[in-house]
Amino acid sequence: MNRSARFFIIVLFAGLLLTPSLIRRFGGAAGAAGPRAHVDPLAQYGFRLTESAKAAGLDFVHAAPTLDARLAHIMPQVASMGAAVSVVDVDRDGAMDLYVTDSKEGSRNRLYRNRGDGTFEDIAERLGIADVNHPDTGVSMGAVWGDYDNDGYDDLFLYRWGRPDLFHNDGGKGFTRVTDVAGMPAWANVNTAVWLDFDRDGRLDLFMGGYYPESVNLWKLADTRMMPESFEYANNGGRKYLLRNLGGGKFEEVSERAGLVSRRWALAAVAADLRGTGYPDLFIANDYGVSELFANDHGHFREVGREA
């Protein structure tokens, strides 16, 4: 290397080292025209948000589950889900209430009834939907509300890593567990659920997306070979469930017949008529891989994510 080339490299290297300090010394001063003037968001945007949970009586703090001890070294990763909130007018008084799910064994879910004056009271214990997190049944991952029997009151579907539960809303005065009568799966490790009338028969059906395979009990592992086979294309997760509402409080599982056979690791799902056909399509956001879009062709689903 000749002398000119060495000199150029030395100058370039010195410039790279000095640039940050020069920017701090001269560039910062040029841009610092004093403290930024306070802008009233109400005047500028038309609204202002104020954190007021404690004043409103919302004192919930989510706690994570403690799974099989053999997962201790990765517990923060595998037990990092389950903090969820759903909105419902549970007693049809015109004020929206909040149901929040906890995930620690022995913890209680909360149903915050809206008093209508900006404050809430927890009535979950009184209505029978608080004490629902146990190792023998699993712990809450979330909840969705839907009036599956068309009586005017939204019913509660509680999905868990473990046994999913369906609770009938008894006129806003309490809940009755109807899981067994309805035909819910015994154990499912569900991470997302959606009410939808997939066949347009006037009755709400229920979709559930599994995360871990349904054969896995996270508190009593047969072995530790239950993690995703890939971080990008895993297809060894929980199964999908599509429970068709038969009326009379009973459901039948029709996922395979309806074309929902994927075993990707479902994180979240939404249903909406995305193509203007009158039938709700299904979008599933998956962990450890690609998301899926299922087009609903008059009650039968086909995956069209790549086409879309």
Side-chain angles (χ1 to χ4, degrees), residues 1 17 90 134 232 266:
M1 183 182 295
L17 291 176
V90 72
H134 302 280
E232 296 179 347

Side-chain angles (χ1 to χ4, degrees), residues 70-144:
R70 283 177 286 181
L71 298 175
H73 61 296
I74 55 172
M75 195 73 72
Q77 176 189 352
V78 298
S80 61
M81 302 182 190
V85 59
S86 52
V87 181
V88 61
D89 183 0
V90 72
D91 51 6
R92 295 186 60 189
D93 65 352
M96 302 308 292
D97 312 303
L98 303 172
Y99 185 68
V100 292
T101 58
D102 213 341
S103 304
K104 187 172 180 60
E105 300 80 355
S107 66
R108 281 165 160 70
N109 292 355
R110 312 277 186 90
L111 175 60
Y112 289 105
R113 180 180 175 272
N114 190 337
R115 292 190 176 109
D117 61 359
T119 65
F120 295 79
E121 61 173 330
D122 178 18
I123 61 171
E125 196 80 45
R126 187 196 320 164
L127 269 58
I129 50 174
D131 187 15
V132 292
N133 299 306
H134 302 280
D136 57 336
T137 61
V139 296
S140 302
M141 288 292 113
V144 289

Side-chain angles (χ1 to χ4, degrees), residues 43-67:
Q44 184 169 357
Y45 304 111
F47 67 93
R48 177 172 54 225
L49 299 177
T50 303
E51 208 296 312
S52 56
K54 185 176 291 186
L58 303 173
D59 57 352
F60 175 79
V61 178
H62 177 263
T66 302
L67 308 175

Side-chain angles (χ1 to χ4, degrees), residues 253-293:
E253 211 292 304
V254 298
S255 59
E256 186 171 353
R257 189 195 317 168
L260 296 172
V261 294
S262 164
R263 276 194 171 268
R264 297 196 182 278
W265 296 65
L267 273 179
V270 292
D273 180 8
L274 300 175
R275 301 173 300 146
T277 64
Y279 286 81
D281 307 302
L282 188 63
F283 180 80
I284 306 172
N286 295 312
D287 208 356
Y288 305 114
V290 297
S291 297
E292 297 167 294
L293 175 60

